[in-house]
Amino acid sequence: MMDFLTVNAGYVVLACALLIWAGIAAYLWRVERRVNELEQRLSR
Amino acid sequence: MKFAIMLGATLFGILLGFVPGITRSRPVWWRWIAILSVTATVVLGLYPPIAGTVTDAVMAARMDSTKVVPVLVVRQIDPSNDSSLTVVDARDPRVVIHVDASEDVAAAIDATDAPFILDLQRSGSDMRFMAQKMGPVDPLITLPYIMGLEERARIIFFHVPMSWVATIAYLLSMIFAVRYLRSRDLNHDTISMATASVGTLYAVLATVTGAVWAKFNWGSIWNWDPRETSIFLLLLVYAAYFLLRSSIEEPQRRARLSAAYSIVAFVTVPFLIFVLPRLLPGLHPGSSDDVNAGPLLSPKSDAINTTKQVVFGLSLFAFTVVFFWLVNLKVRLVGLTDRINDNEVRS
């Protein structure tokens, strides 16, 4: 396992960075949708 | 050209940030542009292998004879001597070198006609190298080798854009503070506060990424280098801005004093970001004792690599667009809180 991580360190870093960004992007998307819903509800 | 890419990417990001209005909901296409541009930045910043030239390997060996440098080469078939392993620098075909390699590496080199990356260590003369390992074959794109930075040079696509966008954020905060003082419209105060707070988040992220990088490159996470000291002072200046805001209840008074403070605070930004770190000797590129203007601005070949400039431009654009998305959400959340509070007061 350690050998795999050492040999493919670049890909491991890339995968971790993409995973973190996917989490942030999903969170932003969700907040955007929630804010939209709240704005529409308050406008009624 | 490189300045055009950087300036164009930043301005395009700012223009897109104001579409369809800084306080309006972000359309789906806009959100996808933000998400895909950051994804592309992460992939293009971390995936391409680093590959230098034979000249890089020679220069590195002069500093440290045991240095191993990845070089993009092509195998040369020498009809006069089949046993000789010779390769050509893929970027400069005039440079031909002899390579000693283990049986496995030699067999792998023999098996390909495409350009490939070879980890080379100078052995005896500038024409003879020891091949330590064979890297990716026929890589689509490569990033330049920068002596002393190597793989750590990738930080440039994350740390530098965050600092740039933080500076732009403080500029926008000052502009909206001036607009508030002229119009007394509380929306301008909210935008000024939101840009300052997201800008501070970016400044903190730039500091943290820089500190982690410094641990591996300079030996410790904090060195009181002039640029580190100046970002620390800048964070203190803007921490005082948020303290000031949180200490005043009445909205108009809070907005008035915060706007005045934001304008005064921004006066320190050009001095702390652009002047002080260049006046004093330090570890960062661009310090007074730096012989280059830094890896990005240097006229050397490693800095004018087109791939690097394009990826850097893309990262500037991506981080700018995400900045505007965060500002937009912050402004709208403050607006929602105010409306809910108003409704509660009325009921």
Side-chain angles (χ1 to χ4, degrees):
Chain A
M1 182 64 182
M2 282 308 289
D3 282 351
F4 174 82
L5 293 177
T6 309
V7 172
N8 300 294
Y11 297 113
V12 174
V13 171
L14 175 62
C16 289
L18 282 176
L19 201 66
I20 292 168
W21 168 238
I24 294 170
Y27 177 70
L28 284 176
W29 195 282
R30 189 180 146 95
V31 171
E32 175 81 35
R33 206 183 57 202
R34 287 276 175 97
V35 170
N36 274 341
E37 283 170 8
L38 272 170
E39 281 174 340
Q40 281 166 9
R41 202 184 296 173
L42 281 173
S43 301
R44 278 178 214 145
Chain B
M1 181 62 183
K2 59 189 170 187
F3 290 109
I5 291 174
M6 290 180 213
L7 195 66
T10 311
L11 288 176
F12 187 44
I14 293 172
L15 279 176
L16 196 69
F18 281 100
V19 175
I22 202 163
T23 57
R24 303 263 302 271
S25 167
R26 304 282 99 175
V28 172
W29 63 265
W30 195 102
R31 284 179 257 164
W32 274 115
I33 286 178
I35 289 172
L36 293 177
S37 58
V38 175
T39 308
T41 298
V42 172
V43 173
L44 291 173
L46 296 176
Y47 174 72
I50 290 193
T53 60
V54 171
T55 310
D56 290 328
V58 171
M59 296 300 285
R62 286 192 185 149
M63 300 284 203
D64 175 4
S65 59
T66 61
K67 197 77 190 164
V68 177
V69 176
V71 178
L72 188 67
V73 292
V74 186
R75 180 173 63 100
Q76 189 184 53
I77 298 163
D78 185 357
S80 62
N81 182 4
D82 286 342
S83 64
S84 168
L85 198 58
T86 53
V87 294
V88 182
D89 190 324
R91 295 198 185 91
D92 186 356
R94 292 170 303 171
V95 180
V96 181
I97 56 168
H98 299 278
V99 173
D100 299 313
S102 65
E103 277 184 22
D104 293 351
V105 175
I109 292 171
D110 264 338
T112 180
D113 291 328
F116 55 92
I117 295 172
L118 207 53
D119 286 358
L120 295 176
Q121 183 184 8
R122 188 174 173 275
S123 130
S125 79
D126 290 349
M127 298 284 288
R128 187 156 216 102
F129 289 81
M130 174 69 80
Q132 301 286 355
K133 193 174 66 132
M134 189 165 161
V137 176
D138 204 10
L140 196 61
I141 49 172
T142 59
L143 293 173
Y145 175 86
I146 300 176
M147 211 185 302
L149 294 183
E150 295 136 42
E151 289 287 341
R152 295 184 293 276
R154 296 179 196 270
I155 194 177
I156 226 161
F157 305 124
F158 306 96
H159 171 75
V160 181
M162 280 190 235
S163 313
W164 280 34
V165 176
T167 310
I168 292 166
Y170 292 140
L171 171 68
L172 287 173
S173 177
M174 187 271 286
I175 290 170
F176 279 97
V178 171
R179 288 185 71 179
Y180 165 77
L181 290 175
R182 287 166 68 101
S183 67
R184 302 290 162 160
D185 179 354
L186 278 174
N187 277 333
H188 290 147
D189 171 61
T190 307
I191 297 170
S192 176
M193 177 275 296
T195 49
S197 62
V198 180
T200 304
L201 172 72
Y202 269 59
V204 168
L205 287 174
T207 309
V208 170
T209 51
V212 172
W213 182 88
K215 172 72 182 161
F216 293 98
N217 213 55
W218 297 335
S220 70
I221 58 166
W222 200 261
N223 303 280
W224 293 109
D225 163 79
R227 194 168 282 281
E228 288 175 347
T229 310
S230 66
I231 196 81
F232 176 69
L233 291 174
L234 196 66
L235 287 172
L236 285 183
V237 166
Y238 278 90
Y241 170 79
F242 296 112
L243 278 174
L244 174 71
R245 287 192 72 88
S246 63
S247 64
I248 303 168
E249 289 278 329
E250 205 274 305
Q252 286 291 356
R253 186 160 173 264
R254 179 178 61 207
R256 206 169 54 247
L257 288 173
S258 305
Y261 184 88
S262 178
I263 293 165
V264 174
F266 186 74
V267 173
T268 67
V269 173
F271 177 73
L272 289 172
I273 298 285
F274 300 111
V275 180
L276 182 73
R278 286 177 168 79
L279 283 179
L280 300 168
L283 297 165
H284 270 84
S287 303
S288 67
D289 56 344
D290 183 12
V291 289
N292 302 312
L296 272 178
L297 304 177
S298 163
K300 289 186 174 176
S301 62
D302 57 28
I304 54 172
N305 174 295
T306 311
T307 312
K308 190 174 167 188
Q309 298 304 327
V310 169
V311 177
F312 185 71
L314 179 67
S315 69
L316 274 175
F317 170 77
F319 281 106
T320 307
V321 171
V322 171
F323 161 78
F324 277 99
W325 193 359
L326 291 170
V327 167
N328 173 264
L329 286 173
K330 178 99 182 160
V331 170
R332 287 161 65 204
L333 280 168
V334 170
L336 277 173
T337 312
D338 290 346
R339 280 164 73 180
I340 290 166
N341 286 342
D342 285 351
N343 286 354
E344 278 176 1
V345 169
R346 274 187 213 142
S347 62

